[in-house]
Amino acid sequence: MDDDAGALPPKDQFSEWYNDILWRAEIMDVRYPVKGLYVWYPYGFAVRKHVYQRLRDLLDRDHEEALFPLLIPEQEFMKEAEHIKGFQDEVYWVTHGGTKPLDVKLALRPTSETAIYPMYALWVRSHADLPLKIYQIVNTFRHETKQTRPLIRLREITSFMESHTVHATWDEAEAQVESEIALTREFYDGLCIPVIISKRPDWDKFPGADYTIAVDTVMPNGRTLQIGTVHHLGTHFSKTFAINYEDVNGQQQLASQTCYGISERCIAALIGVHGDDRGLILPPAVAAIQLVIVPITIGKRHDDVLASAAGLKKELGAAGFRVRMDTRDMRPGAKYYWWELRGVPLRLELGPRDIDTGKVMAVTRLGGKVPIDRTGIVDGVNRVLAGISQAIAAKAKEHVENSLRPAGSIDELTAALNDRKVAVVPWCGDRACGDTIGETTTASVLGTGVRSAYIPAPEGACIICGKPGKATLVGRAY
Ligand code: 5CA
Ligand code: ZN
């Protein structure tokens, strides 16, 4: 990378920090010449691989993975009225095959309901086919008009996990919604990212859903980031696409459905929530490189140290760690800086004195320093990595706790937002009051029925009309 580009901006200048760390740590290259499309560097892609492997492992417990086409014929896409209304301004259309206009225009999927559900109509025949739970991880295209940002608001979403389930009854679909929320929590626990679950107001639900449950986290600048959504689709799509099944009594019934999605925003959250002034901080579970060995070869015992470091690397690699040895001809300090910037959780330093005393010096990305006995290195490293994961999770939890503030009036709400907090306020649920909150503060009513371990949920008088209100999240969203 370009060594003359000055220093990484401090993290409290979050936008600058975020844009900078993406290229410095080689996560994304933003120089691709189409707006809203970005390139994964190999290092970023390795992080993505580990993150999505975890997601797959969770889904594979009770879903099956499949793959549907990218192109959706216009007639199918246009079938569900609310869905079209929600997406019509964002769809890219393929209109030509070579120089000839196509008979049927083809949409690049912005999401895949209308690609998947005509097939579900063929696949679902009887109650014995239900529940059906399928996911795919694909790219989707949305011509976003708000400011595009790498990993956050893309026109080509490259890592869209979408799960689509079919159930006999509305209640069974609702139970599935709960299990998807639980799965999302577990996924984000693994990334040490605290989440806030709430029900989006009706005007902000997914086009074609009965209701939408959103999963948000809070970025360092106090802006919320929606990092997942679970939708109860009721029978909107099953009516439109004729997804029916024969029940135990031989009667035809309409199925109920859910869908649920996570994009590479999960990686934006990973980067944004955990990093610090020195760069990325990656939880060991998803770090592309978990351990870097830096041999300290200054002095006479050069070969001795290198041989010993190679032995260490071999042992740790065999134990299943993702380990790298850095033998480049650089000052140790420059190497430390390099790997810290890239978020490697643990650095192992090995010099002549360590070899003599039978120790390896372990330095964590969070700044801790502990000697580990060379003879018990695997256990020792496991112990230190577990401590790092805990510390990363605790720091993130504290950040989100500190970002949330209860507010009982519009003035308190405004003050909270000015302090770059996300507020929890009592709101009656009426659109008019929601609009007033939005207009007075220019923030968004994000959701009700807030579920989070981090906040007291104030029930009380709606801050606009005084009627009984429920705990509602209000913040500035990405
Ligand atoms: N079909 C449903 C569920 S798969 C669906 O499309 N839901 S969605 O529109 O809410 O998208 C799912 C998630 O993708 C969102 O919660 C958000 O985290 C992410 N997402 C949506 N649009 C973008 C975008 N332009 N760039 C990056 N991520 C996005
Ligand atoms: Zn009200």
Side-chain angles (χ1 to χ4, degrees):
M1 286 273 87
D2 185 357
D3 281 337
D4 301 329
L8 179 68
K11 197 169 174 217
D12 58 13
Q13 294 170 25
F14 181 66
S15 287
E16 291 81 5
W17 180 94
Y18 181 78
N19 288 334
D20 231 62
I21 196 66
L22 290 180
W23 65 263
R24 282 181 195 271
E26 298 184 306
I27 302 292
M28 306 299 299
D29 195 328
V30 303
R31 293 173 295 182
Y32 192 75
V34 179
K35 184 177 160 63
L37 276 55
Y38 308 97
V39 178
W40 289 94
Y41 280 108
Y43 188 71
F45 201 68
V47 175
R48 176 196 183 276
K49 181 174 80 177
H50 296 299
V51 169
Y52 276 74
Q53 188 56 52
R54 295 187 72 86
L55 187 55
R56 277 204 163 87
D57 288 346
L58 289 173
L59 285 159
D60 286 344
R61 289 179 190 163
D62 68 344
H63 291 64
E64 291 175 295
E65 186 171 3
L67 190 58
F68 291 81
L70 165 65
L71 299 174
I72 305 173
E74 185 177 18
Q75 314 85 287
E76 298 298 342
F77 190 76
M78 293 306 197
K79 269 186 184 161
E80 210 290 324
E82 283 179 38
H83 192 67
I84 311 162
K85 239 174 60 201
F87 280 105
Q88 63 188 3
D89 294 336
E90 293 183 9
V91 177
Y92 288 93
W93 289 101
V94 177
T95 58
H96 283 71
T99 53
K100 293 210 180 70
L102 295 174
D103 297 339
V104 178
K105 278 207 294 180
L106 300 168
L108 291 186
R109 61 182 165 218
T111 169
S112 304
E113 284 71 14
T114 56
I116 295 177
Y117 299 168
M119 301 311 296
Y120 276 9
L122 303 172
W123 293 357
V124 173
R125 284 277 151 262
S126 98
H127 60 90
D129 299 323
L130 302 179
L132 182 65
K133 303 183 193 180
I134 290 180
Y135 74 94
Q136 63 176 1
I137 299 177
V138 295
N139 54 351
T140 58
F141 295 81
R142 296 183 182 185
H143 191 265
E144 296 277 0
T145 47
K146 284 203 211 163
Q147 187 185 352
T148 53
R149 287 172 205 275
L151 301 174
I152 292 179
R153 181 163 283 104
L154 309 154
R155 289 187 172 172
E156 180 183 4
I157 308 172
T158 69
S159 313
F160 195 70
M161 187 296 294
E162 49 178 324
S163 156
H164 296 267
T165 72
V166 190
H167 306 269
T169 65
W170 199 94
D171 289 349
E172 280 176 36
E174 180 160 62
Q176 178 65 25
V177 164
E178 288 302 316
S179 109
E180 284 159 6
I181 293 169
L183 188 153
T184 311
R185 270 189 195 284
E186 195 173 345
F187 171 63
Y188 281 113
D189 273 352
L191 306 185
C192 308
I193 295 171
V195 296
I196 308 161
I197 314 280
S198 69
K199 187 173 176 180
R200 284 277 183 264
D202 240 27
W203 64 82
D204 202 20
K205 66 187 183 187
F206 181 70
D210 275 358
Y211 66 86
T212 290
I213 303 290
V215 179
D216 292 287
T217 194
V218 188
M219 292 296 248
N221 56 3
R223 287 228 216 166
T224 60
L225 183 66
Q226 174 183 300
I227 50 176
T229 26
V230 181
H231 313 287
H232 195 311
L233 301 177
T235 54
H236 292 248
F237 288 93
S238 56
K239 261 184 221 142
T240 311
F241 288 94
I243 305 176
N244 304 302
Y245 68 94
E246 190 178 285
D247 70 13
V248 278
N249 304 316
Q251 300 290 313
Q252 284 295 310
Q253 302 286 354
L254 212 49
S256 285
Q257 293 181 272
T258 81
C259 69
Y260 136 65
I262 287 181
S263 78
E264 56 255 62
R265 280 189 186 180
C266 62
I267 308 220
L270 190 73
I271 292 170
V273 170
H274 300 318
D276 68 7
D277 286 349
R278 286 186 289 166
L280 295 182
I281 295 180
L282 296 172
V286 293
I289 299 169
Q290 296 168 310
L291 314 170
V292 60
I293 300 171
V294 180
I296 312 293
T297 55
I298 315 160
K300 278 181 283 181
R301 290 165 60 190
H302 186 268
D303 294 349
D304 193 13
V305 170
L306 276 189
S308 186
L312 182 63
K313 175 173 186 250
K314 198 165 165 212
E315 184 175 344
L316 290 168
F321 295 111
R322 298 190 283 275
V323 53
R324 179 75 67 86
M325 178 160 71
D326 188 350
T327 54
R328 289 175 300 172
D329 185 18
M330 277 162 74
R331 285 180 302 105
K335 290 182 184 178
Y336 301 166
Y337 175 83
W338 174 278
W339 296 112
E340 280 169 4
L341 181 80
R342 284 161 180 75
V344 174
L346 192 61
R347 177 172 84 231
L348 300 173
E349 299 170 10
L350 189 67
R353 213 171 314 133
D354 303 307
I355 295 173
D356 293 343
T357 54
K359 304 274 185 198
V360 176
M361 185 54 79
V363 183
T364 79
R365 177 60 182 80
L366 303 172
K369 223 171 172 176
V370 257
I372 302 178
D373 280 337
R374 176 66 186 84
T375 47
I377 193 71
V378 171
D379 287 347
V381 164
N382 267 322
R383 212 171 36 243
V384 177
L385 288 181
I388 294 173
S389 304
Q390 270 176 14
I392 292 175
K395 190 166 147 262
K397 181 165 175 277
E398 197 188 316
H399 151 68
V400 171
E401 273 171 359
N402 289 339
S403 302
L404 290 167
R405 187 188 291 173
S409 67
I410 200 91
D411 286 344
E412 284 179 22
L413 170 58
T414 308
L417 293 167
N418 287 343
D419 284 351
R420 301 203 294 189
K421 305 290 178 197
V422 181
V424 184
V425 306
W427 170 55
C428 64
D430 289 350
R431 171 114 204 212
C433 291
D435 286 346
T436 307
I437 292 174
E439 284 153 19
T440 330
T441 62
T442 70
S444 310
V445 174
L446 295 170
T448 55
V450 176
R451 293 190 230 169
S452 159
Y454 317 115
I455 26 169
E459 311 264 316
C462 170
I463 60 165
I464 303 299
C465 70
K467 282 192 289 188
K470 288 206 171 112
T472 301
L473 204 63
V474 178
R476 299 192 198 284
Y478 265 102

